[in-house]
Amino acid sequence: MFLDAVLPPADGRIPVAPERLRATLRSRVGADGLLPHWTEWWPDAEVAALFPDPRTRRRVEADQRRVPWDYLTADVVVPPGWDSVPAGYVAFGTTYADELRRAADRGWPVRRLDGRHLHMTCDPEAVASTLVEVATLLQRG
């Protein structure tokens, strides 16, 4: 199940982070080789808009870990045949519209919720029920 995420290619390798993101963050790497917490990567107003309220944001931020720069510059080997396994896709809004379309083109069950990238923090019940719906469709084949 893909949840508001990038779809990997059918085979080969995929970067953990796209070049545009790496270029944005390159100057933010600390002397220890770690990036700041991800909620510090973007302007505060943009980050605040991802959460339903300040309390939820504080809870998420309390669990954050700093990411090593080397992680973002790595590639992931895509296992051959992964895309022949039944899968589904749930998008939150239009950020991953291309991926949603690609998933639909593969014949996967897809759903789009009107929401933000972290929609599971805003409406966990709707996200959970949508995941169950898509998983049920997968089971039926």
Side-chain angles (χ1 to χ4, degrees):
M1 183 76 65
F2 291 86
L3 186 61
D4 215 39
V6 170
L7 287 179
D11 57 23
R13 302 175 77 82
I14 185 171
V16 169
E19 177 55 39
R20 192 173 77 226
L21 177 60
R22 291 186 307 230
T24 299
L25 297 176
R26 190 170 284 119
S27 65
R28 311 280 319 270
V29 180
D32 57 2
L34 299 174
L35 287 161
H37 295 106
W38 71 264
T39 53
E40 298 170 26
W41 295 1
W42 317 111
D44 190 64
E46 289 180 30
V47 173
L50 294 173
F51 296 98
D53 54 60
R55 180 177 174 265
T56 302
R57 179 179 176 174
R58 285 191 303 274
R59 289 178 55 206
V60 169
E61 287 178 331
D63 286 335
Q64 289 183 91
R65 301 295 176 258
R66 293 177 64 207
V67 177
W69 173 248
D70 289 347
Y71 170 73
L72 287 187
T73 60
D75 283 345
V76 174
V77 176
V78 178
W82 81 265
D83 62 338
S84 63
V85 176
Y89 196 100
V90 177
F92 303 150
T94 59
T95 301
Y96 290 98
D98 290 342
E99 285 81 356
L100 183 69
R101 180 191 43 74
R102 286 177 45 215
D105 288 349
R106 290 171 185 248
W108 295 358
V110 299
R111 295 293 181 271
R112 186 179 72 77
L113 297 171
D114 264 339
R116 315 166 212 180
H117 182 57
L118 299 178
H119 196 60
M120 69 289 275
T121 67
C122 301
D123 193 353
E125 292 83 9
V127 173
S129 66
T130 302
L131 287 171
V132 168
E133 177 187 357
V134 172
T136 301
L137 291 170
L138 280 171
Q139 286 179 336
R140 292 182 187 155

